[in-house]
Amino acid sequence: AQKITQTQPGMFVQEKEAVTLDCTYDTSDPSYGLFWYKQPSSGEMIFLIYQGSYDQQNATEGRYSLNFQKARKSANLVISASQLGDSAMYFCAMRPNTGNQFYFGTGTSLTVIP
Amino acid sequence: DGGITQSPKYLFRKEGQNVTLSCEQNLNHDAMYWYRQDPGQGLRLIYYSQIVNDFQKGDIAEGYSVSREKKESFPLTVTSAQKNPTAFYLCASSLGLAGGQETQYFGPGTRLLVL
């Protein structure tokens, strides 16, 4: 069975500070992809970053980086230098490479405080 | 501009009525998906389609139906059998490749409310 767990329903961070959003996953597939999406109040899901299970280095995209610890099955999102526009829901997702389904966590609500 | 469009943005359904949500993409993606999102919850898969004229049930397909007659279009019908349809519905698409990076891209969503 595939499962994504996000244990932080809500997080607060001071503007310009860094924040880590936690994500753990469970899969028996040896090869998979991990994704983070941002959902602002408008509702649209915005793709942020991808990490492949066999990638040796942690993925980075601008102010976003993914702290991938394969042995612990965790894929935490780190946002550096938080901005007010980062306030949104953040979802972790996984796609086993053997199939076409994506599995999503329940999300973390991030609020950036001025 | 390439992307995914969903219409309408808001939809109101009367008891016993079937309603259809539109999803169109011009990304030349093979795979398309429908998700339901309830407050405080993540996305739950309703249906997905990997190619034209083929689709599979997701985790919560009961009370919903889909068709995939064209690569660009994947409409979702919420039937009267769906007793609690009030939710936010998101359509997504991806290349449909097996293995490798396979990012899903989402439309802006449709909010369905029951009158």
Side-chain angles (χ1 to χ4, degrees):
Chain A
Q2 326 286 353
K3 188 177 180 181
I4 304 290
T5 303
Q6 294 180 254
T7 57
Q8 307 155 311
M11 291 282 286
F12 293 86
V13 64
Q14 203 76 38
E15 193 178 7
K16 299 180 185 178
E17 297 292 313
V19 63
T20 298
L21 307 183
D22 295 341
C23 172
T24 58
Y25 60 91
D26 192 15
T27 181
S28 55
D29 282 68
S31 180
Y32 47 88
L34 295 159
F35 305 80
W36 277 92
Y37 287 86
K38 171 183 179 180
Q39 187 179 42
S41 58
S42 60
E44 186 168 357
M45 297 282 281
I46 302 167
F47 166 70
L48 295 178
I49 195 167
Y50 162 84
Q51 177 86 43
S53 58
Y54 288 113
D55 292 345
Q56 295 296 314
Q57 293 188 318
N58 287 342
T60 59
E61 288 287 349
R63 294 186 298 111
Y64 304 108
S65 61
L66 201 152
N67 184 0
F68 179 46
Q69 298 186 48
K70 192 172 182 177
R72 299 179 64 180
K73 293 190 174 179
S74 75
N76 298 339
L77 177 70
V78 180
I79 305 174
S80 63
S82 296
Q83 301 171 357
L84 295 177
D86 293 335
S87 293
M89 285 289 293
Y90 288 81
F91 290 92
C92 179
M94 178 188 65
R95 175 184 176 267
N97 285 356
T98 54
N100 273 299
Q101 274 196 258
F102 289 71
Y103 299 86
F104 287 81
T106 52
T108 295
S109 175
L110 177 67
T111 303
V112 180
I113 304 167
Chain B
D1 284 2
I4 303 172
T5 56
Q6 290 186 243
S7 62
K9 188 173 182 178
Y10 296 94
L11 185 58
F12 299 92
R13 192 191 92 163
K14 295 180 181 178
E15 293 287 342
Q17 186 182 39
N18 291 355
V19 292
T20 298
L21 285 61
S22 169
C23 177
E24 304 275 335
Q25 55 98 1
N26 60 5
L27 300 169
N28 200 31
H29 284 171
D30 283 318
M32 297 188 74
Y33 308 78
W34 273 105
Y35 292 95
R36 170 178 172 147
Q37 186 178 27
D38 294 282
Q41 296 194 31
L43 277 64
R44 292 185 291 168
L45 183 65
I46 305 173
Y47 269 98
Y48 67 101
S49 169
Q50 294 178 236
I51 55 172
V52 174
N53 292 323
D54 183 59
F55 46 83
Q56 287 82 40
K57 293 182 179 179
D59 300 322
I60 56 165
E62 185 175 350
Y64 300 97
S65 66
V66 293
S67 63
R68 186 86 187 277
E69 297 176 2
K70 297 186 301 181
K71 186 176 185 177
E72 304 81 23
S73 178
F74 191 39
L76 173 73
T77 296
V78 184
T79 74
S80 57
Q82 174 49 246
K83 297 306 179 187
N84 184 24
T86 296
F88 186 54
Y89 291 85
L90 283 160
C91 178
S93 72
S94 65
L95 285 169
L97 300 176
Q101 181 173 355
E102 176 71 355
T103 303
Q104 275 191 334
Y105 296 92
F106 285 82
T110 293
R111 290 195 186 277
L112 176 60
L113 299 168
V114 176
L115 296 177

